Amino acid sequence: MTTAAPELLTVPEVMTRLKVGRTKVYDLIRTHRLPSLKVDGCRRIPDDAVSDFIRRGIGEAA
């Protein structure tokens, strides 16, 4: 059984999904609340990490 790798999003794509600015996305990355990796010097965020971040936020608000 093979598991598909998560789609990697760019910072602007994450900005759109979370409806926040560039500085906020980098702040979430810097504080390890949003995991990311570098691909040839470009920051990429797994789409499932963004979904997990949203679920955690909803869980904390409840």
Side-chain angles (χ1 to χ4, degrees):
M1 177 176 165
T2 39
T3 304
E7 181 181 352
L8 296 176
L9 304 173
T10 63
V11 169
E13 289 170 330
V14 174
M15 290 167 52
T16 300
R17 284 187 64 179
L18 296 179
K19 308 287 192 274
V20 297
R22 181 180 194 86
T23 303
K24 184 61 177 180
V25 173
Y26 279 107
D27 179 58
L28 293 170
I29 292 168
R30 182 181 55 77
T31 58
H32 304 286
R33 290 184 283 168
L34 192 59
S36 70
L37 61 138
K38 275 195 164 185
V39 178
D40 291 332
C42 298
R43 188 61 62 183
R44 295 291 180 260
I45 302 95
D47 63 343
D48 58 349
V50 176
S51 297
D52 290 345
F53 175 79
I54 293 168
R55 276 193 292 278
R56 283 193 314 271
I58 291 169
E60 291 171 3

